[in-house]
PDB file of all heavy atoms in Angstrom:
ATOM      1  N   GLU A 220     -18.871   1.506 -14.775  1.00  0.00           N
ATOM      2  CA  GLU A 220     -20.211   1.238 -14.254  1.00  0.00           C
ATOM      3  C   GLU A 220     -20.183   0.828 -12.790  1.00  0.00           C
ATOM      4  O   GLU A 220     -21.047   1.216 -12.023  1.00  0.00           O
ATOM      5  CB  GLU A 220     -20.851   0.111 -15.071  1.00  0.00           C
ATOM      6  CG  GLU A 220     -21.163   0.485 -16.492  1.00  0.00           C
ATOM      7  CD  GLU A 220     -22.562   1.033 -16.657  1.00  0.00           C
ATOM      8  OE1 GLU A 220     -23.489   0.224 -16.744  1.00  0.00           O
ATOM      9  OE2 GLU A 220     -22.721   2.253 -16.684  1.00  0.00           O
ATOM     10  N   TYR A 221     -19.163   0.039 -12.408  1.00  0.00           N
ATOM     11  CA  TYR A 221     -19.178  -0.440 -11.016  1.00  0.00           C
ATOM     12  C   TYR A 221     -18.954   0.680 -10.028  1.00  0.00           C
ATOM     13  O   TYR A 221     -19.395   0.594  -8.879  1.00  0.00           O
ATOM     14  CB  TYR A 221     -18.189  -1.591 -10.789  1.00  0.00           C
ATOM     15  CG  TYR A 221     -16.763  -1.312 -11.147  1.00  0.00           C
ATOM     16  CD1 TYR A 221     -15.926  -0.616 -10.285  1.00  0.00           C
ATOM     17  CD2 TYR A 221     -16.239  -1.752 -12.351  1.00  0.00           C
ATOM     18  CE1 TYR A 221     -14.604  -0.375 -10.602  1.00  0.00           C
ATOM     19  CE2 TYR A 221     -14.919  -1.505 -12.689  1.00  0.00           C
ATOM     20  CZ  TYR A 221     -14.114  -0.815 -11.824  1.00  0.00           C
ATOM     21  OH  TYR A 221     -12.812  -0.570 -12.143  1.00  0.00           O
ATOM     22  N   PHE A 224     -22.347   2.246  -9.831  1.00  0.00           N
ATOM     23  CA  PHE A 224     -23.183   1.376  -9.010  1.00  0.00           C
ATOM     24  C   PHE A 224     -22.837   1.574  -7.523  1.00  0.00           C
ATOM     25  O   PHE A 224     -23.733   1.677  -6.684  1.00  0.00           O
ATOM     26  CB  PHE A 224     -22.988  -0.082  -9.422  1.00  0.00           C
ATOM     27  CG  PHE A 224     -23.943  -1.039  -8.760  1.00  0.00           C
ATOM     28  CD1 PHE A 224     -25.318  -0.798  -8.776  1.00  0.00           C
ATOM     29  CD2 PHE A 224     -23.484  -2.182  -8.131  1.00  0.00           C
ATOM     30  CE1 PHE A 224     -26.201  -1.685  -8.164  1.00  0.00           C
ATOM     31  CE2 PHE A 224     -24.365  -3.075  -7.526  1.00  0.00           C
ATOM     32  CZ  PHE A 224     -25.719  -2.815  -7.547  1.00  0.00           C
ATOM     33  N   ARG A 226     -21.690   4.203  -6.155  1.00  0.00           N
ATOM     34  CA  ARG A 226     -22.240   5.500  -5.742  1.00  0.00           C
ATOM     35  C   ARG A 226     -23.746   5.388  -5.545  1.00  0.00           C
ATOM     36  O   ARG A 226     -24.287   5.913  -4.578  1.00  0.00           O
ATOM     37  CB  ARG A 226     -21.960   6.542  -6.812  1.00  0.00           C
ATOM     38  CG  ARG A 226     -20.515   6.912  -6.901  1.00  0.00           C
ATOM     39  CD  ARG A 226     -20.377   8.411  -7.189  1.00  0.00           C
ATOM     40  NE  ARG A 226     -19.135   8.913  -6.628  1.00  0.00           N
ATOM     41  CZ  ARG A 226     -18.053   9.209  -7.357  1.00  0.00           C
ATOM     42  NH1 ARG A 226     -18.082   9.050  -8.646  1.00  0.00           N
ATOM     43  NH2 ARG A 226     -16.979   9.664  -6.770  1.00  0.00           N
ATOM     44  N   ALA A 227     -24.407   4.661  -6.486  1.00  0.00           N
ATOM     45  CA  ALA A 227     -25.855   4.529  -6.389  1.00  0.00           C
ATOM     46  C   ALA A 227     -26.247   3.748  -5.136  1.00  0.00           C
ATOM     47  O   ALA A 227     -27.367   3.830  -4.661  1.00  0.00           O
ATOM     48  CB  ALA A 227     -26.399   3.837  -7.629  1.00  0.00           C
ATOM     49  N   LYS A 228     -25.311   2.972  -4.588  1.00  0.00           N
ATOM     50  CA  LYS A 228     -25.564   2.244  -3.345  1.00  0.00           C
ATOM     51  C   LYS A 228     -25.523   3.165  -2.156  1.00  0.00           C
ATOM     52  O   LYS A 228     -25.802   2.761  -1.032  1.00  0.00           O
ATOM     53  CB  LYS A 228     -24.511   1.152  -3.165  1.00  0.00           C
ATOM     54  CG  LYS A 228     -24.838  -0.106  -3.926  1.00  0.00           C
ATOM     55  CD  LYS A 228     -23.718  -1.102  -4.153  1.00  0.00           C
ATOM     56  CE  LYS A 228     -22.711  -1.337  -3.116  1.00  0.00           C
ATOM     57  NZ  LYS A 228     -21.739  -2.393  -3.497  1.00  0.00           N
ATOM     58  N   GLY A 229     -25.068   4.414  -2.372  1.00  0.00           N
ATOM     59  CA  GLY A 229     -25.016   5.362  -1.271  1.00  0.00           C
ATOM     60  C   GLY A 229     -23.828   5.142  -0.356  1.00  0.00           C
ATOM     61  O   GLY A 229     -23.883   5.450   0.830  1.00  0.00           O
ATOM     62  N   LEU A 230     -22.745   4.614  -0.890  1.00  0.00           N
ATOM     63  CA  LEU A 230     -21.543   4.457  -0.063  1.00  0.00           C
ATOM     64  C   LEU A 230     -20.910   5.813   0.183  1.00  0.00           C
ATOM     65  O   LEU A 230     -20.973   6.689  -0.677  1.00  0.00           O
ATOM     66  CB  LEU A 230     -20.521   3.554  -0.772  1.00  0.00           C
ATOM     67  CG  LEU A 230     -20.953   2.136  -1.094  1.00  0.00           C
ATOM     68  CD1 LEU A 230     -19.768   1.379  -1.684  1.00  0.00           C
ATOM     69  CD2 LEU A 230     -21.430   1.431   0.148  1.00  0.00           C
ATOM     70  N   ARG A 238     -11.835   2.221  -1.869  1.00  0.00           N
ATOM     71  CA  ARG A 238     -12.016   0.786  -2.105  1.00  0.00           C
ATOM     72  C   ARG A 238     -12.253   0.487  -3.574  1.00  0.00           C
ATOM     73  O   ARG A 238     -11.692  -0.441  -4.126  1.00  0.00           O
ATOM     74  CB  ARG A 238     -13.186   0.290  -1.256  1.00  0.00           C
ATOM     75  CG  ARG A 238     -13.382  -1.195  -1.315  1.00  0.00           C
ATOM     76  CD  ARG A 238     -14.574  -1.636  -0.494  1.00  0.00           C
ATOM     77  NE  ARG A 238     -14.264  -1.695   0.934  1.00  0.00           N
ATOM     78  CZ  ARG A 238     -15.209  -1.788   1.884  1.00  0.00           C
ATOM     79  NH1 ARG A 238     -16.461  -1.785   1.566  1.00  0.00           N
ATOM     80  NH2 ARG A 238     -14.858  -1.865   3.151  1.00  0.00           N
ATOM     81  N   HIS A 239     -13.093   1.270  -4.212  1.00  0.00           N
ATOM     82  CA  HIS A 239     -13.474   0.925  -5.575  1.00  0.00           C
ATOM     83  C   HIS A 239     -12.580   1.556  -6.623  1.00  0.00           C
ATOM     84  O   HIS A 239     -12.201   0.910  -7.586  1.00  0.00           O
ATOM     85  CB  HIS A 239     -14.932   1.302  -5.827  1.00  0.00           C
ATOM     86  CG  HIS A 239     -15.895   0.451  -5.042  1.00  0.00           C
ATOM     87  ND1 HIS A 239     -16.412  -0.725  -5.529  1.00  0.00           N
ATOM     88  CD2 HIS A 239     -16.401   0.586  -3.792  1.00  0.00           C
ATOM     89  CE1 HIS A 239     -17.209  -1.270  -4.616  1.00  0.00           C
ATOM     90  NE2 HIS A 239     -17.209  -0.484  -3.549  1.00  0.00           N
ATOM     91  N   ASN A 243      -8.591  -0.376  -8.294  1.00  0.00           N
ATOM     92  CA  ASN A 243      -8.633  -0.678  -9.722  1.00  0.00           C
ATOM     93  C   ASN A 243      -7.639   0.150 -10.515  1.00  0.00           C
ATOM     94  O   ASN A 243      -7.023  -0.336 -11.461  1.00  0.00           O
ATOM     95  CB  ASN A 243     -10.052  -0.456 -10.261  1.00  0.00           C
ATOM     96  CG  ASN A 243     -10.962  -1.625  -9.944  1.00  0.00           C
ATOM     97  OD1 ASN A 243     -10.920  -2.637 -10.612  1.00  0.00           O
ATOM     98  ND2 ASN A 243     -11.756  -1.501  -8.899  1.00  0.00           N
ATOM     99  N   PRO A 318      -8.261 -10.706  -8.577  1.00  0.00           N
ATOM    100  CA  PRO A 318      -8.569 -12.138  -8.498  1.00  0.00           C
ATOM    101  C   PRO A 318      -8.605 -12.808  -9.872  1.00  0.00           C
ATOM    102  O   PRO A 318      -8.413 -14.014  -9.968  1.00  0.00           O
ATOM    103  CB  PRO A 318      -9.954 -12.162  -7.851  1.00  0.00           C
ATOM    104  CG  PRO A 318     -10.518 -10.803  -8.094  1.00  0.00           C
ATOM    105  CD  PRO A 318      -9.345  -9.873  -8.106  1.00  0.00           C
ATOM    106  N   ARG A 319      -8.849 -12.035 -10.930  1.00  0.00           N
ATOM    107  CA  ARG A 319      -8.898 -12.636 -12.264  1.00  0.00           C
ATOM    108  C   ARG A 319      -7.531 -13.114 -12.704  1.00  0.00           C
ATOM    109  O   ARG A 319      -7.411 -13.902 -13.637  1.00  0.00           O
ATOM    110  CB  ARG A 319      -9.453 -11.625 -13.274  1.00  0.00           C
ATOM    111  CG  ARG A 319     -10.923 -11.352 -13.096  1.00  0.00           C
ATOM    112  CD  ARG A 319     -11.324 -10.105 -13.837  1.00  0.00           C
ATOM    113  NE  ARG A 319     -10.557  -8.951 -13.345  1.00  0.00           N
ATOM    114  CZ  ARG A 319     -10.734  -7.721 -13.797  1.00  0.00           C
ATOM    115  NH1 ARG A 319     -11.594  -7.480 -14.749  1.00  0.00           N
ATOM    116  NH2 ARG A 319     -10.036  -6.718 -13.293  1.00  0.00           N
ATOM    117  N   ARG A 321      -5.415 -14.600 -10.691  1.00  0.00           N
ATOM    118  CA  ARG A 321      -4.971 -15.749  -9.893  1.00  0.00           C
ATOM    119  C   ARG A 321      -5.223 -17.051 -10.641  1.00  0.00           C
ATOM    120  O   ARG A 321      -5.933 -17.088 -11.636  1.00  0.00           O
ATOM    121  CB  ARG A 321      -5.733 -15.784  -8.569  1.00  0.00           C
ATOM    122  CG  ARG A 321      -5.199 -14.720  -7.627  1.00  0.00           C
ATOM    123  CD  ARG A 321      -6.024 -14.654  -6.366  1.00  0.00           C
ATOM    124  NE  ARG A 321      -6.002 -13.265  -5.888  1.00  0.00           N
ATOM    125  CZ  ARG A 321      -6.895 -12.739  -5.068  1.00  0.00           C
ATOM    126  NH1 ARG A 321      -7.875 -13.479  -4.613  1.00  0.00           N
ATOM    127  NH2 ARG A 321      -6.798 -11.493  -4.711  1.00  0.00           N
TER     128      ARG A 321
ATOM    129  N   ARG B  58     -30.509   8.329 -13.902  1.00  0.00           N
ATOM    130  CA  ARG B  58     -29.294   8.771 -13.204  1.00  0.00           C
ATOM    131  C   ARG B  58     -29.463  10.153 -12.573  1.00  0.00           C
ATOM    132  O   ARG B  58     -28.793  10.483 -11.610  1.00  0.00           O
ATOM    133  CB  ARG B  58     -28.097   8.752 -14.159  1.00  0.00           C
ATOM    134  CG  ARG B  58     -27.605   7.325 -14.370  1.00  0.00           C
ATOM    135  CD  ARG B  58     -26.668   7.209 -15.540  1.00  0.00           C
ATOM    136  NE  ARG B  58     -26.456   5.792 -15.829  1.00  0.00           N
ATOM    137  CZ  ARG B  58     -25.259   5.196 -15.843  1.00  0.00           C
ATOM    138  NH1 ARG B  58     -24.179   5.887 -15.615  1.00  0.00           N
ATOM    139  NH2 ARG B  58     -25.166   3.908 -16.111  1.00  0.00           N
ATOM    140  N   ARG B  66     -23.117  14.715 -10.966  1.00  0.00           N
ATOM    141  CA  ARG B  66     -21.660  14.724 -10.859  1.00  0.00           C
ATOM    142  C   ARG B  66     -21.003  15.149 -12.160  1.00  0.00           C
ATOM    143  O   ARG B  66     -19.884  15.628 -12.166  1.00  0.00           O
ATOM    144  CB  ARG B  66     -21.142  13.330 -10.512  1.00  0.00           C
ATOM    145  CG  ARG B  66     -21.651  12.849  -9.216  1.00  0.00           C
ATOM    146  CD  ARG B  66     -20.950  11.593  -8.772  1.00  0.00           C
ATOM    147  NE  ARG B  66     -21.002  11.528  -7.334  1.00  0.00           N
ATOM    148  CZ  ARG B  66     -20.093  12.062  -6.543  1.00  0.00           C
ATOM    149  NH1 ARG B  66     -19.034  12.640  -7.056  1.00  0.00           N
ATOM    150  NH2 ARG B  66     -20.221  12.014  -5.244  1.00  0.00           N
ATOM    151  N   ARG B  90     -26.882  10.690   0.157  1.00  0.00           N
ATOM    152  CA  ARG B  90     -26.270   9.389   0.325  1.00  0.00           C
ATOM    153  C   ARG B  90     -27.137   8.436   1.162  1.00  0.00           C
ATOM    154  O   ARG B  90     -27.114   7.226   0.955  1.00  0.00           O
ATOM    155  CB  ARG B  90     -24.913   9.597   0.999  1.00  0.00           C
ATOM    156  CG  ARG B  90     -24.110   8.394   1.192  1.00  0.00           C
ATOM    157  CD  ARG B  90     -22.697   8.800   1.464  1.00  0.00           C
ATOM    158  NE  ARG B  90     -22.427   9.073   2.863  1.00  0.00           N
ATOM    159  CZ  ARG B  90     -22.620   8.203   3.820  1.00  0.00           C
ATOM    160  NH1 ARG B  90     -23.103   7.009   3.562  1.00  0.00           N
ATOM    161  NH2 ARG B  90     -22.367   8.509   5.075  1.00  0.00           N
ATOM    162  N   GLN B  93     -29.827   7.177  -1.320  1.00  0.00           N
ATOM    163  CA  GLN B  93     -29.304   6.269  -2.351  1.00  0.00           C
ATOM    164  C   GLN B  93     -29.044   4.896  -1.729  1.00  0.00           C
ATOM    165  O   GLN B  93     -28.383   4.787  -0.712  1.00  0.00           O
ATOM    166  CB  GLN B  93     -27.970   6.805  -2.889  1.00  0.00           C
ATOM    167  CG  GLN B  93     -28.078   8.101  -3.649  1.00  0.00           C
ATOM    168  CD  GLN B  93     -26.709   8.715  -3.918  1.00  0.00           C
ATOM    169  OE1 GLN B  93     -25.815   8.634  -3.086  1.00  0.00           O
ATOM    170  NE2 GLN B  93     -26.551   9.327  -5.077  1.00  0.00           N
ATOM    171  N   GLY B  94     -29.569   3.881  -2.369  1.00  0.00           N
ATOM    172  CA  GLY B  94     -29.322   2.532  -1.890  1.00  0.00           C
ATOM    173  C   GLY B  94     -30.242   2.151  -0.743  1.00  0.00           C
ATOM    174  O   GLY B  94     -30.661   1.018  -0.621  1.00  0.00           O
ATOM    175  N   MET B  99     -30.840   1.391  -7.687  1.00  0.00           N
ATOM    176  CA  MET B  99     -30.799   1.348  -9.141  1.00  0.00           C
ATOM    177  C   MET B  99     -30.034   0.106  -9.580  1.00  0.00           C
ATOM    178  O   MET B  99     -29.031  -0.259  -8.993  1.00  0.00           O
ATOM    179  CB  MET B  99     -30.090   2.607  -9.663  1.00  0.00           C
ATOM    180  CG  MET B  99     -29.931   2.617 -11.166  1.00  0.00           C
ATOM    181  SD  MET B  99     -29.738   4.287 -11.825  1.00  0.00           S
ATOM    182  CE  MET B  99     -29.396   3.915 -13.537  1.00  0.00           C
ATOM    183  N   THR B 106     -20.116  -5.410 -16.180  1.00  0.00           N
ATOM    184  CA  THR B 106     -19.249  -4.288 -15.804  1.00  0.00           C
ATOM    185  C   THR B 106     -19.764  -3.529 -14.586  1.00  0.00           C
ATOM    186  O   THR B 106     -19.130  -2.586 -14.146  1.00  0.00           O
ATOM    187  CB  THR B 106     -19.133  -3.284 -16.973  1.00  0.00           C
ATOM    188  OG1 THR B 106     -20.450  -2.946 -17.383  1.00  0.00           O
ATOM    189  CG2 THR B 106     -18.382  -3.881 -18.139  1.00  0.00           C
ATOM    190  N   SER B 107     -20.908  -3.957 -14.043  1.00  0.00           N
ATOM    191  CA  SER B 107     -21.469  -3.176 -12.943  1.00  0.00           C
ATOM    192  C   SER B 107     -21.066  -3.653 -11.570  1.00  0.00           C
ATOM    193  O   SER B 107     -21.430  -3.049 -10.569  1.00  0.00           O
ATOM    194  CB  SER B 107     -22.991  -3.158 -13.050  1.00  0.00           C
ATOM    195  OG  SER B 107     -23.374  -2.625 -14.297  1.00  0.00           O
ATOM    196  N   ASN B 109     -17.779  -4.641  -9.125  1.00  0.00           N
ATOM    197  CA  ASN B 109     -16.324  -4.422  -9.045  1.00  0.00           C
ATOM    198  C   ASN B 109     -15.591  -5.757  -9.135  1.00  0.00           C
ATOM    199  O   ASN B 109     -15.776  -6.631  -8.292  1.00  0.00           O
ATOM    200  CB  ASN B 109     -16.009  -3.733  -7.717  1.00  0.00           C
ATOM    201  CG  ASN B 109     -14.567  -3.276  -7.642  1.00  0.00           C
ATOM    202  OD1 ASN B 109     -13.682  -3.906  -8.232  1.00  0.00           O
ATOM    203  ND2 ASN B 109     -14.331  -2.215  -6.926  1.00  0.00           N
ATOM    204  N   PRO B 110     -14.744  -5.905 -10.168  1.00  0.00           N
ATOM    205  CA  PRO B 110     -14.096  -7.203 -10.394  1.00  0.00           C
ATOM    206  C   PRO B 110     -13.109  -7.597  -9.288  1.00  0.00           C
ATOM    207  O   PRO B 110     -12.754  -8.767  -9.185  1.00  0.00           O
ATOM    208  CB  PRO B 110     -13.343  -6.994 -11.717  1.00  0.00           C
ATOM    209  CG  PRO B 110     -13.156  -5.527 -11.830  1.00  0.00           C
ATOM    210  CD  PRO B 110     -14.355  -4.912 -11.180  1.00  0.00           C
ATOM    211  N   LEU B 111     -12.672  -6.644  -8.469  1.00  0.00           N
ATOM    212  CA  LEU B 111     -11.632  -6.959  -7.486  1.00  0.00           C
ATOM    213  C   LEU B 111     -12.190  -7.330  -6.118  1.00  0.00           C
ATOM    214  O   LEU B 111     -11.444  -7.714  -5.239  1.00  0.00           O
ATOM    215  CB  LEU B 111     -10.714  -5.741  -7.297  1.00  0.00           C
ATOM    216  CG  LEU B 111     -10.073  -5.154  -8.541  1.00  0.00           C
ATOM    217  CD1 LEU B 111      -9.000  -4.158  -8.150  1.00  0.00           C
ATOM    218  CD2 LEU B 111      -9.460  -6.250  -9.409  1.00  0.00           C
ATOM    219  N   GLN B 117     -19.327  -6.693  -1.557  1.00  0.00           N
ATOM    220  CA  GLN B 117     -20.104  -5.671  -2.247  1.00  0.00           C
ATOM    221  C   GLN B 117     -21.538  -5.616  -1.750  1.00  0.00           C
ATOM    222  O   GLN B 117     -22.203  -4.603  -1.828  1.00  0.00           O
ATOM    223  CB  GLN B 117     -20.046  -5.889  -3.765  1.00  0.00           C
ATOM    224  CG  GLN B 117     -18.634  -5.745  -4.284  1.00  0.00           C
ATOM    225  CD  GLN B 117     -18.523  -5.814  -5.806  1.00  0.00           C
ATOM    226  OE1 GLN B 117     -19.130  -5.020  -6.494  1.00  0.00           O
ATOM    227  NE2 GLN B 117     -17.760  -6.754  -6.319  1.00  0.00           N
ATOM    228  N   GLU B 120     -21.117  -4.154   2.163  1.00  0.00           N
ATOM    229  CA  GLU B 120     -20.780  -2.729   2.324  1.00  0.00           C
ATOM    230  C   GLU B 120     -22.041  -1.863   2.209  1.00  0.00           C
ATOM    231  O   GLU B 120     -22.136  -0.822   2.844  1.00  0.00           O
ATOM    232  CB  GLU B 120     -19.700  -2.292   1.330  1.00  0.00           C
ATOM    233  CG  GLU B 120     -20.135  -2.305  -0.113  1.00  0.00           C
ATOM    234  CD  GLU B 120     -19.022  -1.840  -1.064  1.00  0.00           C
ATOM    235  OE1 GLU B 120     -17.920  -1.495  -0.594  1.00  0.00           O
ATOM    236  OE2 GLU B 120     -19.254  -1.832  -2.289  1.00  0.00           O
ATOM    237  N   HIS B 125     -26.099   1.317   5.377  1.00  0.00           N
ATOM    238  CA  HIS B 125     -27.506   1.698   5.556  1.00  0.00           C
ATOM    239  C   HIS B 125     -28.228   1.039   6.722  1.00  0.00           C
ATOM    240  O   HIS B 125     -29.393   1.306   6.947  1.00  0.00           O
ATOM    241  CB  HIS B 125     -28.283   1.392   4.271  1.00  0.00           C
ATOM    242  CG  HIS B 125     -27.784   2.167   3.092  1.00  0.00           C
ATOM    243  ND1 HIS B 125     -27.745   3.531   3.089  1.00  0.00           N
ATOM    244  CD2 HIS B 125     -27.288   1.778   1.905  1.00  0.00           C
ATOM    245  CE1 HIS B 125     -27.250   3.949   1.930  1.00  0.00           C
ATOM    246  NE2 HIS B 125     -26.966   2.902   1.204  1.00  0.00           N
ATOM    247  N   TYR B 156     -15.782 -14.112  -6.529  1.00  0.00           N
ATOM    248  CA  TYR B 156     -15.643 -12.833  -7.235  1.00  0.00           C
ATOM    249  C   TYR B 156     -16.599 -12.805  -8.426  1.00  0.00           C
ATOM    250  O   TYR B 156     -16.988 -13.865  -8.926  1.00  0.00           O
ATOM    251  CB  TYR B 156     -14.202 -12.661  -7.707  1.00  0.00           C
ATOM    252  CG  TYR B 156     -13.251 -12.461  -6.560  1.00  0.00           C
ATOM    253  CD1 TYR B 156     -12.628 -13.548  -5.939  1.00  0.00           C
ATOM    254  CD2 TYR B 156     -13.000 -11.175  -6.076  1.00  0.00           C
ATOM    255  CE1 TYR B 156     -11.770 -13.347  -4.862  1.00  0.00           C
ATOM    256  CE2 TYR B 156     -12.155 -10.979  -5.016  1.00  0.00           C
ATOM    257  CZ  TYR B 156     -11.536 -12.066  -4.411  1.00  0.00           C
ATOM    258  OH  TYR B 156     -10.710 -11.856  -3.353  1.00  0.00           O
TER     259      TYR B 156
END
Side-chain angles (χ1 to χ4, degrees):
Chain A
E220 293 268 279
Y221 57 81
F224 188 51
R226 290 217 151 105
K228 277 163 37 177
L230 299 185
R238 185 181 281 166
H239 291 270
N243 280 281
R319 289 164 301 182
R321 285 174 211 160
Chain B
R58 283 166 191 237
R66 299 190 154 271
R90 183 163 86 57
Q93 294 169 323
M99 177 157 174
T106 52
S107 302
N109 188 329
L111 307 190
Q117 297 185 59
E120 67 179 359
H125 298 302
Y156 291 90

